[in-house]
């Protein structure tokens, strides 16, 4: 009987881990002005009471790659680097790339003094401005062959 219950517990754990999908933080992203050449400034709000700098950076990079963002000025509007179906196609790569300890941390910087916390009806959302090196990020994703090079269009 003890072997059977141990076996069932292990089977349940294996099934759960096989079907578990990486869940990104619930966040919003908007343009926050223009950065230096090749970079963009984005305001990221995460719907939690508090968040780490690594979580903000991961959310900002995820947003730049898959969502794009709009700002108050027309030049701040940026399309996503790729389409959402690309995320599913290269899920294993993106799960490790966009992580609190992943390579995405190299392409984002928190702007000092831009933290804020807002109480909402459902809890809190915390925000910060993040500068994302969009040019280097694109080059890295092209090198990994998970997005197409702009040169391949012509």
């Amino acid at each position: 009987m003890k072997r059977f219950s141990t076996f069932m517990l292990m089977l349940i754990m294996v099934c759960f881990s096989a079907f578990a999908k990486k869940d990104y933080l619930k966040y919003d992203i908007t343009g926050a002005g223009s950065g230096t050449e090749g970079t963009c400034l984005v305001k990221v709000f995460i719907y939690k009471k508090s968040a780490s700098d690594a979580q903000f950076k991961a959310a900002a990079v995820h947003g730049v790659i898959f969502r794009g963002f709009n700002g108050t000025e027309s030049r701040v509007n940026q399309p996503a680097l790729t389409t959402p179906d690309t995320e599913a196609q290269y899920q294993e790569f993106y799960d490790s790339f966009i992580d609190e300890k992943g390579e995405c941390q190299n392409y984002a910087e928190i702007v000092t003094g831009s933290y804020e916390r807002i109480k909402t009806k459902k809890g809190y959302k915390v925000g910060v401005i993040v500068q994302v090196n969009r040019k280097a990020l694109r080059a890295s994703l092209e090198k990994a062959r998970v997005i197409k090079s702009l040169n391949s269009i012509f």
Side-chain angles (χ1 to χ4, degrees):
M1 183 69 178
K2 188 174 183 177
R3 284 188 205 172
F4 179 74
S5 61
T6 305
F7 173 75
M8 288 303 292
L9 180 62
M10 288 176 48
L11 181 64
I12 290 170
M13 289 174 53
V14 167
C15 289
F16 180 79
S17 65
F19 294 111
K21 183 179 179 241
K22 178 156 180 159
D23 233 358
Y24 293 107
L25 294 170
K26 183 178 176 187
Y27 69 92
D28 290 328
I29 184 170
T30 58
S34 55
T36 60
E37 187 175 340
T39 67
C40 55
L41 289 174
V42 293
K43 179 77 170 204
V44 177
F45 278 103
I46 295 177
Y47 290 86
K48 290 176 66 177
K49 191 169 185 172
S50 65
S52 69
D53 286 354
Q55 289 173 322
F56 283 119
K57 290 178 181 181
V61 170
H62 184 270
V64 168
I65 294 173
F66 297 110
R67 292 186 183 181
F69 56 89
N70 295 321
T72 55
E73 305 170 28
S74 62
R75 69 177 185 271
V76 176
N77 299 337
Q78 293 287 322
L81 289 177
T82 189
T83 58
D85 60 326
T86 306
E87 183 176 14
Q89 185 178 0
Y90 299 103
Q91 182 178 358
E92 188 174 310
F93 171 81
Y94 285 118
D95 282 351
S96 64
F97 185 83
I98 301 173
D99 188 57
E100 291 179 40
K101 296 179 181 173
E103 189 181 339
C104 73
Q105 301 295 316
N106 300 329
Y107 302 102
E109 293 291 325
I110 304 291
V111 174
T112 307
S114 63
Y115 295 92
E116 65 180 290
R117 182 171 19 186
I118 300 171
K119 186 166 174 60
T120 64
K121 290 180 182 179
K122 295 183 180 181
Y124 288 91
K125 68 179 187 176
V126 289
V128 72
I129 296 176
V130 181
Q131 182 174 7
V132 178
N133 190 336
R134 188 178 165 96
K135 185 176 180 179
L137 178 61
R138 176 179 255 305
S140 175
L141 296 176
E142 286 174 359
K143 185 177 179 183
R145 298 183 185 264
V146 293
I147 65 171
K148 291 183 179 178
S149 169
L150 291 176
N151 295 335
S152 68
I153 297 171
F154 301 106

